[in-house]
Amino acid sequence: MSVSFDFTGRTTIVTGAARGIGLEIARHLQGAGASVYLLDHDAEEVAKAAAEVGAAGVPTDVSSTEAVQAAVQRAVDDTGRLDIVVNNAGILRDKVLWKLTDEDWDAVLAVHLGGTFRLTRAAVAHFRAQQYGRVVNVTSYTGLRGNIGQANYAAAKAGIIGFTKTAAKELAAFGVTVNAVSPNAETRMVSSIPPEKKQQLAAAIPMGRFAAPSEMCAAVAFLASAEAGYITGTVLPVDGGISM
């Protein structure tokens, strides 16, 4: 039996949607009837992705308040509403702590954690007016356990967990849920790992492999659905058991 959710009439924004997990989530929600807006800083790639999915592509730097507000306004102007935001945008500036520059630190925090904050904040007025909304944030196992060379990334992902739980408490009274997923998928970051090291990492996963990006979609769709209206403030691992 296949379980699916109907997003007909729902307006959705997905960040970091030009490729990888974000693109697959956008594709899934568009296919389930949502009006989807793909946000990404790469204008050329997000245009290609949007055309592939049959959705709208909006070049957006999520570290900019003005850019995020403009993207939200575009979606609301087009459809009259905003129902779901998926905060997936992220960048890497990997270096061991003593080699990290202020720019490396600030850039990663501004996109991962700052982008999550800015888009959620921009959506809240519309959610409150509707007395309905869904926020799904993308965090990481690294945010709980750390990883050599990723102090900035780990701090950002840990911050997203704290933000998720706080926003869930603040927005529950308005019919808004805020949850997170913690994926372990074959992304560009994973693909760049040397084969021997990647094999070692995969062996540490109880399921014995990294997931395809598309395997993250069902969890996100569930948390974004009307049916999940009594679930908020949770972090759902979709990681093959690595966080056990």
Side-chain angles (χ1 to χ4, degrees):
M1 182 177 69
S2 176
V3 177
S4 60
F5 301 98
D6 183 5
F7 291 97
T8 302
R10 300 295 189 193
T11 299
T12 302
I13 292 176
V14 182
T15 69
R19 57 184 65 81
I21 292 172
L23 174 56
E24 293 306 321
I25 291 169
R27 189 195 315 277
H28 184 92
L29 296 176
Q30 179 78 11
S35 298
V36 179
Y37 290 76
L38 286 72
L39 273 56
D40 201 280
H41 75 284
D42 190 325
E44 184 177 345
E45 288 300 314
V46 79
K48 289 180 184 176
E52 178 186 330
V53 170
V58 185
T60 306
D61 175 5
V62 297
S63 69
S64 164
T65 295
E66 293 75 15
V68 169
Q69 290 175 337
V72 168
Q73 196 59 52
R74 158 83 185 276
V76 173
D77 286 347
D78 287 353
T79 67
R81 60 188 301 116
L82 177 60
D83 302 281
I84 301 161
V85 297
V86 180
N87 289 300
N88 170 71
I91 60 171
L92 295 176
R93 297 286 187 273
D94 291 357
K95 293 175 186 172
V96 288
L97 180 59
W98 56 93
K99 293 184 178 180
L100 273 178
T101 65
D102 286 359
E103 182 182 8
D104 295 328
W105 179 269
D106 292 344
V108 169
L109 270 289
V111 173
H112 286 271
L113 184 54
T116 297
F117 158 66
R118 290 182 189 89
L119 180 54
T120 305
R121 180 181 61 179
V124 165
H126 305 285
F127 290 165
R128 290 181 66 183
Q130 296 165 177
Q131 292 290 291
Y132 182 91
R134 298 286 183 267
V135 179
V136 183
N137 301 321
V138 177
T139 183
S140 172
Y141 171 69
T142 301
L144 296 175
R145 298 297 295 270
N147 192 35
I148 292 172
Q150 291 193 312
N152 47 4
Y153 178 82
K157 291 304 192 184
I160 287 172
I161 294 173
F163 175 83
T164 297
K165 293 181 179 296
T166 299
K169 290 180 177 181
E170 293 181 351
L171 299 178
F174 307 109
V176 179
T177 67
V178 186
N179 293 289
V181 294
S182 182
N184 188 27
E186 183 83 41
T187 61
R188 282 191 303 165
M189 181 176 73
V190 172
S191 297
S192 68
I193 298 171
E196 184 177 335
K197 177 65 173 175
K198 182 178 173 182
Q199 188 174 15
Q200 292 173 357
L201 292 172
I205 302 168
M207 296 294 292
R209 64 178 180 87
F210 290 95
S214 60
E215 291 182 271
M216 304 300 109
C217 295
V220 173
F222 169 61
L223 293 173
S225 70
E227 288 84 350
Y230 202 61
I231 300 171
T232 197
T234 192
V235 179
L236 176 60
V238 192
D239 62 7
I242 189 66
S243 60
M244 287 192 293

